[in-house]
Amino acid sequence: MKSFIIGGSTESMSVTKFRSVCQEIGKNLALIGNSLVICSPFDDSADYWVLKGFIGQVISETQTIDILHIGSNDIINKVDDLKKNINIKNLNIIPCITSSLKGNEKYSWLLCQLQALETCHSVIAIGGKNDGAANMLLILAESKRKLVFPFPFFGGAAALSFDRIRYQLEDRMGNKHLKLLDENKVGESIELLIDQSLQSNKLEKQVDKNIFFISYPKARPQEADHIENILRRRNYLVYRDESEFGAGKNILNEIEKNIRSANIFIATWCKEYACSPWCFDELELALDLCESRGMKIWIFNVDGTRLVPKRARNLLTYPIRTREELDGTLLLLLGNQVTGID
């Protein structure tokens, strides 16, 4: 598995500590059998010091180091100097096709980093400027559903990434994701990469597969809002009806299309839902799809109101009285989707 390094020192951190932790990351990546992808040959980058830690270990013939860099003469000379200290069979020096125009250097580096991102399986982030390329690259990596391991204890772009994906990390690792917060548990955190790579592939397939439609009464949107937030934080595609239309009218074409596009229908059943003709229309369509093509229906009973529709009475419903119960039930159902439990 190739791990791409993103990050660098920032003004608020101890440079000595930063270098030490980066070398620890490199050492442990080598020990678990990973390959390395870096871009910067400069000693203010995480790349440089992770590489130092990596090459200090015994590297197997299957492990590689890829160095992607811009093709200017001074950078080529810098990479050549770095290469003299790297005694590894599978060292790939890859000059990127970039602009030679003066003033375009930052875009050229960005192009190299984008190419590196495409080739990697996981991303290790530490430090990095909030307003620099590191933050943008991490957002892109997250959107591409790369396996991102951000170490937030030095702040910077890595800390921002950790805040954005902490729920996904917690879903995958439970409380083990808290090891990323401890600079003294870098080795233990890196060891999690192997298991998380397998889990990430499984989750990615599941996220791609599952599309949700949330059905709720307009008079009581709070549970639907919370469910949507949980699902979107985990990169699921979510549809819901945010339009207003009168009772007695047919389901709008767009709403019907979205329900038919989904494979999991979530209803927040309550007294307001029971009194809503258009909620009934949505649920009836979902019941039809359940019978015809196996759409899954999750009914969260949020206030104890008796379930009225005859066809829905045989379905399993989930009594919800608190936000904690909603979180726990939804996360359990999502976990069952990953493991294949109905």
Side-chain angles (χ1 to χ4, degrees):
M1 181 169 66
K2 289 186 176 182
S3 295
F4 175 38
I5 308 302
I6 294 178
S9 57
T10 62
E11 295 178 357
S12 60
M13 67 174 62
S14 162
V15 173
T16 301
K17 188 65 177 176
F18 172 75
R19 292 176 176 179
S20 174
V21 171
C22 287
Q23 290 184 75
E24 187 70 11
I25 291 172
K27 168 187 169 183
N28 284 279
L29 285 174
L31 289 174
I32 67 170
N34 274 30
S35 295
L36 192 63
V37 183
I38 64 171
C39 290
S40 175
F42 297 105
D43 63 7
D44 63 343
S45 68
D47 311 46
Y48 181 93
W49 296 103
V50 171
L51 175 64
K52 289 287 187 182
F54 191 89
I55 61 178
Q57 306 305 308
V58 177
I59 308 299
S60 74
E61 291 187 357
T62 60
Q63 290 173 275
T64 62
I65 298 174
D66 296 346
I67 304 178
L68 289 80
H69 65 88
I70 65 176
S72 62
N73 290 332
D74 55 335
I75 300 301
I76 291 173
N77 292 335
K78 188 73 175 176
V79 172
D80 285 341
D81 289 340
L82 193 64
K83 185 169 61 173
K84 294 174 184 176
N85 298 315
I86 303 176
N87 183 22
I88 177 174
K89 180 180 179 181
N90 296 318
L91 174 63
N92 304 310
I93 307 297
I94 308 170
C96 298
I97 300 174
T98 55
S99 172
S100 60
L101 295 177
K102 187 175 181 180
N104 281 359
E105 289 86 357
K106 66 177 181 179
Y107 302 110
S108 296
W109 278 118
L110 180 58
L111 179 58
C112 288
Q113 292 167 317
L114 290 172
Q115 290 180 234
L117 184 61
E118 290 299 321
T119 68
C120 75
H121 304 99
S122 63
V123 175
I124 311 293
I126 181 166
K129 295 178 180 179
N130 291 350
D131 57 352
N135 191 41
M136 187 196 69
L137 286 166
L138 286 168
I139 292 173
L140 184 59
E142 294 157 18
S143 71
K144 287 178 172 290
R145 296 175 187 159
K146 295 284 186 180
L147 178 57
V148 179
F149 260 46
F151 290 97
F153 41 76
F154 287 136
L160 294 177
S161 176
F162 183 86
D163 288 341
R164 285 192 299 266
I165 66 171
R166 65 184 308 151
Y167 296 102
Q168 293 99 304
L169 293 170
E170 185 176 0
D171 284 351
R172 289 170 176 168
M173 296 186 277
N175 288 335
K176 290 181 181 178
H177 80 290
L178 298 176
K179 291 181 179 181
L180 293 167
L181 295 166
D182 189 343
E183 62 189 65
N184 296 311
K185 294 185 177 179
V186 168
E188 295 178 43
S189 297
I190 294 296
E191 286 177 0
L192 295 171
L193 262 178
I194 298 176
D195 290 338
Q196 293 313 303
S197 178
L198 298 174
Q199 181 74 355
S200 179
N201 291 336
K202 189 182 293 184
L203 280 170
E204 183 176 338
K205 291 176 182 177
Q206 201 62 41
V207 167
D208 287 339
K209 177 181 176 182
N210 288 325
I211 300 174
F212 293 83
F213 185 92
I214 305 173
S215 177
Y216 66 100
K218 299 299 180 296
R220 183 166 178 160
Q222 57 266 33
E223 289 86 8
D225 292 343
H226 189 63
I227 291 168
E228 182 181 11
N229 285 335
I230 290 176
L231 294 174
R232 291 196 185 280
R233 283 170 179 168
R234 288 154 178 81
N235 291 326
Y236 287 103
L237 180 58
V238 181
Y239 293 121
R240 60 184 285 187
D241 168 27
E242 307 235 17
S243 63
E244 296 288 345
F245 57 102
K249 291 187 179 180
N250 293 328
I251 298 177
L252 296 178
N253 290 337
E254 188 68 20
I255 298 171
E256 181 173 351
K257 182 183 76 173
N258 290 342
I259 294 175
R260 291 184 181 278
S261 297
N263 64 311
I264 298 179
F265 181 93
I266 299 177
T268 59
W269 183 269
C270 56
K271 63 182 180 181
E272 291 86 358
Y273 198 109
C275 295
S276 169
W278 46 93
C279 285
F280 263 67
D281 287 345
E282 293 173 359
L283 182 55
E284 282 296 312
L285 176 55
L287 289 165
D288 290 341
L289 296 172
C290 178
E291 294 173 0
S292 64
R293 61 174 173 83
M295 170 180 265
K296 293 184 179 180
I297 299 177
W298 298 348
I299 299 178
F300 297 150
N301 190 323
V302 299
D303 68 354
T305 297
R306 179 176 295 180
L307 197 60
V308 176
K310 185 176 181 179
R311 286 195 297 164
R313 293 175 199 166
N314 292 329
L315 297 176
L316 183 62
T317 60
Y318 303 93
I320 302 295
R321 298 296 177 271
T322 65
R323 181 63 58 85
E324 290 73 21
E325 289 179 352
L326 178 56
D327 289 350
T329 301
L330 182 56
L331 293 177
L332 177 63
L333 290 169
L334 291 174
N336 288 345
Q337 286 298 111
V338 173
T339 57
I341 299 174
D342 290 328

